[in-house]
Every structure is written in C-alpha cells, then in structure tokens.
Amino acid sequence: MKKMLLLLLIVATTIANAQKSEIFTSKSGAIDGYDPVAYFTENKPVKGNPEFMYNWKTANWYFATAQNMAEFKANPEKYAPQYGGYCAYGTSAGHKAPTTPEAFTIVNEKLYLNYNENVMSMWRKDQAALIEKADVNWPKIKAEKE
C-alpha cells in the first residue's frame, strides 16, 4: 500500500511539473521551430532545420545552420527569447501567453516575442517600462501552468 501511494505521488508530481513549462513550445518546438540565433544575425524569423536540433531546458530548439546551433549551445541565454518565449507584453501584465515568431523585438541584445503583431505594437510604445514589469513578474509566473 505504501509503495502504491508513493508511486501515485511520484506520478502526480511528474504530471504537475510537466504542465509548468518554463519554455513556450508548440508541436514544432521552441519558437514554433524558428532559429533563435537568426533573429540576431538576420534580423528576421528563419525556420529551423530538423537536422539541427538541440534540447535545452526540456524544449527542442531548431536552427537553420550548424553554425547557429553551435552559437546557441555555447551561450543559450544570449539567444533564447526572454520570459521563456512567452509573450513579453503578457508577462508584463502578470500572465503567460503564447507567441508568434513574426512578432519580435530585439532590445539591448535580448529577444522579446509577442502574441501577435498588434500586441507587439502596443509593447513597443512603452517597452522600457513593460520590460521592467515583466522582469519583476517572470520569476513569479515562470513555473505556472500556461
């Protein structure tokens, strides 16, 4: 009986933790399968190649080239989007929201993603203040269920 209860506790804990992803992913992986390094090198979203995949923080990240994958592996914090790839505007409001790869901004060499291009426009109007709010909120919400 004790073994059964322990097993149920382990399973419940595993399920609960699986729902608390720090990285926003879709069926296509982190950033919907787009290359995080390309945002910095090409200033646009570039679809990753399944041949160049790297798992970081329990998410699959895809890259357009082997060089980009190597750059990310060497310094993932430099290239990964802020707030785990969740919407920066949503994070500033205290909640997680999905993002689209086309709605992006690079500020002070950091990548920020937004829910869509309309939200990105609102984000850009006051992004310095919104970054401050999101930076405060992210530690509180990053383990919450999406």
Side-chain angles (χ1 to χ4, degrees):
M1 184 68 168
K2 286 183 182 181
K3 286 183 182 180
M4 179 77 123
L5 288 174
L6 180 59
L7 180 59
L8 285 173
L9 180 61
I10 291 170
V11 169
T13 302
T14 302
I15 290 169
N17 287 335
Q19 296 172 343
K20 296 180 180 181
S21 177
E22 181 180 338
I23 306 295
F24 172 67
T25 59
S26 68
K27 292 183 290 184
S28 301
I31 316 178
D32 208 22
Y34 282 75
D35 181 338
V37 177
Y39 285 98
F40 294 90
T41 60
E42 299 187 37
N43 197 35
K44 65 180 183 180
V46 175
K47 194 72 169 164
N49 181 335
E51 183 180 338
F52 306 116
M53 189 275 295
Y54 176 64
N55 188 281
W56 181 69
K57 289 195 173 185
T58 70
N60 291 332
W61 298 80
Y62 293 91
F63 305 89
T65 66
Q67 176 64 35
N68 284 6
M69 184 171 71
E71 293 281 334
F72 186 88
K73 282 182 174 182
N75 192 356
E77 297 290 344
K78 177 179 178 179
Y79 297 106
Q82 299 301 292
Y83 321 122
Y86 290 95
C87 178
Y89 189 87
T91 303
S92 72
H95 61 84
K96 288 180 176 179
T99 54
T100 184
E102 294 79 20
F104 77 97
T105 309
I106 295 176
V107 180
N108 296 326
E109 298 184 37
K110 293 181 179 184
L111 175 61
Y112 297 88
L113 298 173
N114 289 113
Y115 178 74
N116 60 30
E117 292 183 16
N118 289 335
V119 172
M120 180 181 67
S121 294
M122 293 186 302
W123 160 256
R124 287 182 171 174
K125 288 179 184 174
D126 196 17
Q127 69 189 14
L130 295 173
I131 288 171
E132 283 183 35
K133 289 178 184 177
D135 286 349
V136 169
N137 290 338
W138 181 241
K140 300 172 199 167
I141 65 173
K142 73 179 175 181
E144 290 179 359
K145 184 178 173 185
E146 183 181 334

